[in-house]
Amino acid sequence: MVRLKVILIAAVIGLSTNANAQERDWKITSALSFAPGLLTEKTQTIQLHGYLGFLKNKIHLRGDAFYFLNSYGQRPRFDMNHQIYAGAFYHFTDTQFQPYVGFQPGIAIARSSEYQTLNETTGELEAKIATSPVGSAVGGFSYYGEKLFFLFFETRYIFGQHKSNTYPVYLDELRFSFGLGFFF
């Protein structure tokens, strides 16, 4: 019975959204790009970055996801570091060129490649996957075309700590994203 009510409510919302699609004054934005990052000790990372957002009256509500691909350099700290964020951005203009700032809290699902502990049953060293809270301050700009496409560039500072069954490892990183997105 509860499942039926949820399905009916979702259908009504979906139909009303489609009926008012011509009158809406908000944009749905989405983008996919590669995101290089800089850690301390001459270490670089590369992630796949995707987001989905809703932009209205200079306020952009957005959810971002980062899929960890690899890290290079003197001290790669993680062999897994996927992150998801949700937050708000403020666009300073509503013209084609839109600089913006924002903040997003999020969650990192990470595994340290540096610190491992001894598994007493198997006798092997292993690193555990842990979920850690993170935050991200973001600044960037978007350049919107006449129809469908926009270009974006943003810089974000990520802060947090990976806490597992070993020493805490900082998740701090300076990350860049740039690419092409779509708006509807």
Side-chain angles (χ1 to χ4, degrees):
M1 186 67 177
V2 173
R3 179 180 276 173
L4 180 62
K5 287 181 183 179
V6 170
I7 291 171
L8 287 173
I9 290 171
V12 168
I13 290 172
L15 291 173
S16 65
T17 302
N18 287 335
N20 295 327
Q22 297 298 328
E23 299 174 16
R24 72 174 186 229
D25 58 347
W26 47 271
K27 296 177 187 174
I28 298 173
T29 60
S30 65
L32 185 65
S33 71
F34 288 103
L38 302 172
L39 296 168
T40 57
E41 288 127 8
K42 299 180 182 174
T43 302
Q44 299 84 34
T45 64
I46 187 78
Q47 291 86 14
L48 187 61
H49 173 209
Y51 75 75
L52 179 66
F54 300 95
L55 176 62
K56 181 178 180 179
N57 299 332
K58 298 183 183 178
I59 302 298
H60 196 185
L61 302 177
R62 202 169 98 179
D64 291 60
F66 289 90
Y67 181 80
F68 179 80
L69 296 174
N70 208 346
S71 61
Y72 309 93
Q74 290 183 354
R75 190 177 171 196
R77 293 188 171 142
F78 299 98
D79 59 6
M80 183 173 103
N81 186 7
H82 309 305
Q83 299 171 351
I84 55 173
Y85 296 92
F89 295 78
Y90 178 76
H91 289 241
F92 293 103
T93 67
D94 56 2
T95 61
Q96 282 187 302
F97 180 75
Q98 297 183 9
Y100 58 83
V101 295
F103 179 77
Q104 292 180 305
I107 296 172
I109 301 167
R111 180 176 55 218
S112 174
S113 59
E114 282 189 319
Y115 301 112
Q116 302 171 348
T117 58
L118 182 66
N119 184 333
E120 294 178 8
T121 56
T122 63
E124 295 182 15
L125 290 176
E126 65 179 28
K128 291 192 177 184
I129 297 172
T131 304
S132 306
V134 288
S136 179
V138 184
F141 66 86
S142 295
Y143 184 79
Y144 287 85
E146 293 295 322
K147 293 182 182 179
L148 294 179
F149 298 103
F150 68 93
L151 297 171
F152 75 97
F153 176 82
E154 68 183 32
T155 302
R156 69 176 54 229
Y157 178 71
I158 298 166
F159 55 92
Q161 278 189 353
H162 169 73
K163 295 182 179 179
S164 180
N165 57 340
T166 63
Y167 299 104
V169 181
Y170 286 99
L171 292 161
D172 296 7
E173 183 175 0
L174 185 61
R175 194 174 290 168
F176 307 95
S177 295
F178 51 92
L180 183 66
F182 299 97
F183 69 93
F184 308 97

